[in-house]
Amino acid sequence: MRRRDMLGCGAALASTLLGAGAMAAQPQLRVGLTAVILADQAAFLARWSEYLSERVGAQVIFVARESYQAILDMLFSDQLDAAWICGYPYVRHQSQLELLAVPLYRGEPRYQSYLIRTRGQAPDIKGWSDLKNSVLAYSDPLSNSGWLVAQAQLRAAGLSQRDLRRTFFAHGHRNVAEAVAIGLAHAGCIDGYVWETMQLQKMAPAANTEVIWKSDFYAFPPMVVRAGGGSAALSALGGALMTMHDDAAGQALLHALNLNGFSSAAPALFDSIKALAVSVGAVRA
């Protein structure tokens, strides 16, 4: 995720459409994701869909929703064939999921969580211990970088939710940046990859916020499928993702995503997220 994340628009999106003709007769692969952070989101997903469809031999359709829970509900009810989710929901449902591919960001299948504040304001907020009586924006209840990491850091700082003036879910990392940028929150928990990509694309919410803390590195939001539900088409989809860097069209799509590529990965890559979830009582050991 995404990751995946790139994650972050507020409203749910309609499924992207492919070209007509022969594609309409092909089998379909429905891939769920939360909103991708791109100015031309619908156009980009249509290009990515067409690219993958040509290489997989099936019509790849992206289906975007606001929350990870909505994507998981669709995946587990057979309304989706694969999904780009976060590492936290992956470890929560690990027995029910298999990894299809993990994105590479700056050459690694890892990313960080950031704590941000409004640029040039709230100078007293320099880290987690300074958040008492402040308003804090989260991304999604199932986000590692936008919720889970924050719970561990608040505990380490000796703070509870009651010590904060208010918290709220912005439902997307881009929305976290926007909430902090305009002063709806004093600080926000955000996917570092998303914030850096917003900076790269010169988006105002990133330009008007600043990073005051970075986490350790965690496994990047993965592409997953249901356990035991693999098919030749899904295997081909994984292969197409992992070879995108091999041709110019794939490289252009990866460049738009601010990714280097996709790779295979073992479940152990997500052990640090699982340990984090265990530490705050979000999952059992």
Side-chain angles (χ1 to χ4, degrees):
M1 351 139 258
R2 185 199 58 253
R3 12 265 162 277
R4 324 196 301 159
D5 258 114
M6 312 195 186
L7 309 163
C9 284
L13 298 174
S15 302
T16 55
L17 301 177
L18 295 175
M23 282 290 185
Q26 290 186 328
Q28 292 183 348
L29 286 180
R30 302 151 299 178
V31 181
L33 74 171
T34 51
V36 176
I37 293 215
L38 292 170
D40 64 341
Q41 179 165 276
F44 170 80
L45 290 178
R47 294 195 303 273
W48 196 14
S49 177
E50 182 176 4
Y51 173 90
L52 292 173
S53 298
E54 290 173 352
R55 288 154 180 79
V56 171
Q59 185 180 0
V60 177
I61 299 176
F62 286 108
V63 180
R65 294 292 183 269
E66 280 191 358
S67 70
Y68 289 123
Q69 189 60 60
I71 291 298
L72 288 169
D73 289 345
M74 294 180 72
L75 182 64
F76 290 138
S77 63
D78 201 30
Q79 297 178 67
L80 295 173
D81 302 291
W84 194 355
I85 61 171
C86 187
Y88 176 37
Y90 169 70
V91 301
R92 283 175 61 97
H93 301 281
Q94 198 163 346
S95 64
Q96 300 169 270
L97 297 170
E98 294 178 1
L99 296 170
L100 182 67
V102 178
L104 297 173
Y105 172 55
R106 296 179 174 175
E108 297 288 338
R110 295 177 175 84
Y111 77 124
Q112 293 170 286
S113 172
Y114 289 178
L115 181 65
I116 60 173
R117 70 182 182 192
T118 310
R119 183 174 295 278
Q121 298 186 28
D124 293 337
I125 299 178
K126 301 180 177 67
W128 294 98
S129 61
D130 303 317
L131 292 178
K132 190 171 183 178
N133 297 321
S134 296
V135 179
L136 179 63
Y138 297 127
S139 173
D140 184 291
L142 289 179
S143 171
N144 175 56
S145 58
W147 185 82
L148 182 62
V149 169
Q151 305 316 298
Q153 291 302 316
L154 287 171
R155 283 193 176 199
L159 297 176
S160 69
Q161 298 291 329
R162 294 187 297 273
D163 294 314
L164 305 179
R165 183 186 305 175
R166 186 168 70 93
T167 63
F168 63 91
F169 288 104
H171 301 293
H173 293 286
R174 178 173 178 172
N175 294 341
V176 169
E178 289 177 345
V180 176
I182 64 176
L184 289 179
H186 296 106
C189 315
I190 191 169
D191 180 321
Y193 153 74
V194 171
W195 190 87
E196 296 288 357
T197 301
M198 292 176 69
Q199 281 277 19
L200 192 65
Q201 297 179 359
K202 302 186 184 306
M203 293 185 176
N208 293 325
T209 56
E210 56 190 350
V211 177
I212 55 176
W213 177 88
K214 296 182 181 182
S215 74
D216 294 334
F217 285 89
Y218 293 100
F220 204 97
M223 287 273 195
V224 300
V225 298
R226 293 184 303 278
S231 66
L234 283 172
S235 295
L237 175 61
L241 289 168
M242 286 185 274
T243 56
M244 284 181 66
H245 63 279
D246 288 340
D247 61 74
Q251 290 171 11
L253 292 166
L254 289 169
H255 179 74
L257 287 168
N258 193 24
L259 294 174
N260 302 117
F262 288 81
S263 67
S264 60
L269 179 66
F270 294 84
D271 283 354
S272 61
I273 296 178
K274 185 173 184 179
L276 195 65
V278 170
S279 74
V280 301
V283 301
R284 294 182 180 180

